[in-house]
Structures are given as structure tokens and as C-alpha cells.
Amino acid sequence: MNFTNLFSPIRIRGLELRNRIEFPAMGTKMATEDKFVTKQLIDYHVARALGGNGLNFTEVCSVYAPAAPKKFLSIAEDKYIEGLKELSDAVHNAGGKVGIQLWLGGLAVGSDPEAKIMMPSDMKVQGGYVIPGMTIEDIKEATKAFGEAARRAVEAGYDCVEFHAGHNYVPHSFISPAFNHRTDEYGGSLENRSRFLIECIESIRNNIPNDMPLFMRIDAHDDYLENGLTIEEIIEFCKMSKKAGVDVLDISRGNFSTAAIKYEVPPVDLPRGFNVENAARIKRETGMVTVAVGRINDPAQAEEIISNGKADMVVIGRGQLADPEFCNKAKSGEVESIVRCVGCNQGCYDGFVSTEVPYITCLRNPALGREEEYKLIKTDQAKTILIAGGGVAGLEAAITLKQRGHNPILCEASDSLGGQFVLAGAAPRKEEMKEAAISMGEQAKAAGVEIRLSTPVTPELIRETQAKEVVIAIGAEPMKLNVPGAELPQVTNSHEVLAGKVQVEGEVVIIGGGLVGLEVAELVVHRSGKVTVVEMLDQVGKDLGDLRKIVVMESLHQAGVNTVTNARCVKIKENSVVIEKDSRIEEISCDFVVVAIGARSRKFDDIKDYCEKNSIPYYVIGDALRARRALNSTAEAAAIARDI
């Protein structure tokens, strides 16, 4: 397919971009503790510039020193200019263009107890503490800080700057009546609530050259906020911002004070391009250059947005996390080779908010954040390597080994590739996961990997292939429920239901309220009379990432699925499930029981024993090692495939 419009250049003031694709500001945790640029962050951006991206934006960059949190970039003092210039120079040398996102974080800087939290109005928080609203002096200091930061961005060689006025940060909190309760000239009417933002825009504009574009990230409207902003108010504000000097509108959605945070890093559960029509309306009614944002992860989708005039540019963020060569591949017509983002959020969002993960990563791209370290090095000792298991872990290992020059033979016991990732794609709203797993199999074939289906790995096969090393990625199987009645005919497991091998109807009880149990509940509730989920822990969905959990729990609530926590199944009868809850025995009537209590690694003692007896190195990865998230599986596969 020809993506002529997507890859046509665009000129904004004195800046010409080679295409209409923006790699947006996304939190990485790659800055130093004291807020400086790192080589890791430079490599991350350079990879996307080399990959053909049109315009890179740094992640949020603090403009005001007292409110600058640790581990986030800062441009609040001159000492940061040198490092930021190294980043801009590197992107330019890679053929790209780069901008800085100017940021005053508000509540978001609370991750650092030393950072000053700034809000337009007094705000009560947990423990009865009140965050005081900004004084007029605070407002003037912040306004000046935006201008000084813009000056530094120019000195550091950036092509443009972006004023972040969305996502619950200080500027958004001023313009939104949900947060701004001031009664002075900075509160009340839309004009007054906009005053701080307009003053910041003017301060920025006065400190950058006339031919440098000023972008602004803005929410299309407020979600889940009482008395929040409407799109009509946003349109009026954007017209004001245009007069003040804004050139480009980057139309986002979401806030981190409510469930609307799901729109900031939208999981697979949200429709692709869910915010595009808002961008189209704002473009139409303001006449401004507009960037569409929100689950745009396919070049054909992006081309349609540009060609139909819905936006002038598109953000492809996580699509380029998953594949830094996204743009080059799309432009050259190699669409089938693109490694697609599946909106799982496991590495990019869950990794970002986790205190245990040093920086973001990606299920589809374990090299994210390790671009230099993980460059593929061709082997000078090609080996035949047998891979047991054709799920995502086995496929990741096989593709990487083949790219390095080895001879991987991938054996899958079933008649198809993709493993549990294909099964996961059977759950509501997760079709893209199934498509990605199937595509991964096709990419392995295209790479020349030898694939043998319906072929379990045995000692005889290892001997026959003369494999020098073995990778065991045979995954896990559903755990069985060990209670009286578990073998009754109306009892099945989650895998059987998701695979469509067993149809359940009537009243259904699901034993296990983790991710898989909840997805089964969503799948069957529309054809069942009543669905009850029984969970031993104090809440369901504990293994779900934060943003996916929001959507899944909303869906369960709307569908009327009943959840029972702090309860365990003690017996199954012909027409009921017996549970123990709060030291009391209860019965739940049902026609079917679905067991979803987790998975246990499949046994491979015969392979292990043969390899050890014959001194053949072997590696156990993914769920075969221990049942966990798919993110762990691909990470382990990538590491092993680079070490062999």
C-alpha cells in the first residue's frame, strides 16, 4: 500500500518535517536521579530517528526547579543545557528533528517528596492535608520559568517546543473548572481560567525565534470529572492560544485524578483511534495545524486520518516503542514485517509506575531502553538450535537466533503457532493480540526459520537434529482444582472456554478472579444468565495492569457480573458450588463451573535429563520456567538468543 500523504513533508513556520509522524513525549525513567539526559535516553531517541520518524519529542521536561521531580528531565536551570544539546545533536545526526515538551507537573510531581506540588486552588488530600493554591507570586514565577525554559531549548538546538496543557498538570488544572476554584483574575470565566496558560504561551513565544514552531498538548475535553471542560470550551481556548502564538495542537485526552487516566496510555481495550474525531472537529473549528493521538498503530489507519483531512499529523508512540523501524518499514511497503504494539501496557505503563522496574520496556521489543547493548551481533559459530514451543517466547528466540546467523528449528506440539497469546486474543477486545501472535509466526517463516508443527520435542528429536543447544519454551497448562466434584461433567477450565472448545451457558461460576478468570467472565456473560466469579484474595484482578483493570472492571460492572472475594471453593455439586467465606459455608447455584486458578509449567524432565546426560546446553524460558506475564517470556527469549 502507498502511504503518500503520511510520508509527505509538512512545513510549520521555519521547520520542515520529512513526514507527518510524531514520536511523542512518553515517560521512560531513563533520566538520571538529578534530572540529566543519559546515553540510554539518547540511544532511545536516535533509534526512532534512524527508523524514519518525522519529529521526536522528549518526555516531560520540568521548567521550574522547585517543582522538578527526580528521575524526570529538567530544563529549569542552565546546567541542563549541555546534556539536552547532546540529545538534540544526536537526533539531528540521525536525520531527525526534535522538540522539548515543557512541563509543570502539579500533582504528578508527588512521586518526589522534595518537589513542590503546585495547584490553582487549595486541594485536600489524604490525611486531611491541604495543598495550598498558587499565589500570584507563584503564578508569575511559573510564567517566567516557561519562558526561561524555552530560551534554554533554543540554546540546546531544539527545532520546536511543546507547551503541555493537558493531563491534569498545572496548566490543565487552571483551565479546568473541576480543579480551578479561584475567585480572582485567574478563576471563574473561561477567559480568566485561560489567563495563566495564555501568559505562559506568550512567555514561551517571546523567548524563541519567530520561525520556531510552538506546539501545545491539550485534552479534547475532560472525562470523569464533575464540572469538567467541554470540547466547546477547548475550541474557544485554542483560538485564544493561536493569537498568543501557538502553531500546532496536539489533541490528547485523560487525567490521572480519575479513571480517565486510561485515555493517557490507552490499553488494547479502547478502540483504535478513539480520539481522532475530536481532533478532526478541533482542526475544523480552529483552522489550526492539528495532531491526532490515541491508539494509532497502523500505517493504513494513519494514512486514512491524514488523507481525509482529520488531522495534519499523527502520534505513533507505542507503535514505535514496539518497532523503532516502524516508519522505514511502512514507507518501503514492508508492512507485514512491522512488529505491532498490542496495547498490553505491560512494559510501557506498568513498567513506568512500578518501583521495581528501572525503566520502561516492551513486550514486543525487549531491546527498548537497551538499544546500544542489544544491537544484534552476527555469530561466527553458527549452530543448530532446537526450540521447544511455538508461543511468543519460542518465536522471539527463533527469529533473533536466525537474524544472528544460527540455524533454529522451532518445534510446536500443537498444529499452530502463537501459544497462549492466541488464546488471550479470544478474550473481549483483545483481537489484536491474536493477530500479533499469528503475525509473529509469519515473520518467523519469512525470516527462514525452520518450523515443525505437531512435533513435540523428544530426546529422539534432539538426537536426530544433532542440535547443539536447546531452548525450552513449552509454556504452562491450567492448574486443576483439587476439591470434591472437580471431575463432574459441568466443570471445565478457562483454556477450553477461551479456545471455543466448550460452550458454557445458563448460570456460570468461575473459580479464580485473576486476569484470565475475569476475561472468561466477560466472554460468557452475554450468553449466560448469571455469572459469578469466586476469588480467594481480597480483590479480583490483582494481576491486571492498572489501566486494563479500569476497563475490565467497568465492563464487568456494566454486564452485571457478580464477584465474591475472600472466598474459596470447597466442593462442587451437580447444580451448585460450595464456598467458604468469612468462616461460613455458602452455596451458589450454577449450570457450569469454569476453573481459572492459574497455570503450572509443563514438565520437560525427559528433555532436561537427555541434555544433561549428553552435555547439551539447555535454557528454560517463559512460562516453562514459571507462569508469569508475556513480558517476561519475550525478555528472557531475547536475552538467551543474544547470549548463544
Side-chain angles (χ1 to χ4, degrees), residues 255-308:
N255 63 77
F256 54 80
S257 294
T258 70
I261 193 171
K262 69 184 181 183
Y263 296 117
E264 289 192 36
V265 191
V268 66
D269 307 85
L270 294 184
R272 292 166 62 240
F274 66 89
N275 201 36
V276 169
E277 292 307 320
N278 286 328
R281 178 179 174 187
I282 292 170
K283 171 179 165 60
R284 190 167 60 247
E285 296 191 29
T286 63
M288 297 176 72
V289 175
T290 304
V291 186
V293 180
R295 290 260 292 137
I296 301 169
N297 59 8
D298 178 79
Q301 174 195 17
E303 173 69 16
E304 185 272 333
I305 291 166
I306 303 297
S307 63
N308 287 343

Side-chain angles (χ1 to χ4, degrees), residues 387-456:
I387 300 172
V392 292
L395 286 165
E396 178 74 30
I399 292 169
T400 305
L401 287 165
K402 188 67 179 179
Q403 289 172 337
R404 291 192 54 223
H406 286 296
N407 176 35
I409 301 173
L410 181 72
C411 299
E412 166 57 40
S414 75
D415 60 0
S416 61
L417 298 173
Q420 290 195 38
F421 220 63
V422 171
L423 199 63
R429 306 179 302 278
K430 289 175 69 176
E431 298 85 358
E432 287 171 72
M433 292 193 177
K434 180 178 180 178
E435 291 167 5
I438 294 170
S439 173
M440 200 173 186
E442 294 303 314
Q443 288 169 358
K445 292 174 188 174
V449 173
E450 182 181 342
I451 296 171
R452 302 184 185 184
L453 298 178
S454 304
T455 307

Side-chain angles (χ1 to χ4, degrees), residues 412-547:
E412 166 57 40
S414 75
D415 60 0
S416 61
L417 298 173
Q420 290 195 38
F421 220 63
V422 171
L423 199 63
R429 306 179 302 278
K430 289 175 69 176
E431 298 85 358
E432 287 171 72
M433 292 193 177
K434 180 178 180 178
E435 291 167 5
I438 294 170
S439 173
M440 200 173 186
E442 294 303 314
Q443 288 169 358
K445 292 174 188 174
V449 173
E450 182 181 342
I451 296 171
R452 302 184 185 184
L453 298 178
S454 304
T455 307
V457 170
T458 62
E460 293 73 27
L461 186 64
I462 300 173
R463 184 165 52 248
E464 173 201 317
T465 57
Q466 298 182 355
K468 299 302 181 186
E469 304 195 26
V470 177
V471 177
I472 302 169
I474 58 175
E477 56 192 3
M479 292 173 64
K480 292 183 178 180
L481 188 64
N482 187 21
V483 301
E487 302 301 325
L488 287 170
Q490 78 271 23
V491 181
T492 185
N493 66 57
S494 55
H495 285 47
E496 298 287 300
V497 175
L498 289 171
K501 295 178 180 178
V502 175
Q503 299 289 323
V504 298
E505 53 190 21
E507 294 185 341
V508 179
V509 172
I510 298 167
I511 309 298
L515 162 65
V516 177
L518 297 184
E519 290 182 336
V520 170
E522 284 194 87
L523 182 68
V524 305
V525 68
H526 300 296
R527 60 174 180 255
S528 303
K530 178 183 177 185
V531 175
T532 303
V533 178
V534 177
E535 169 57 45
M536 289 181 65
L537 301 177
D538 59 350
Q539 60 177 278
V540 297
K542 275 201 167 183
D543 57 344
L544 264 165
D546 292 347
L547 305 190

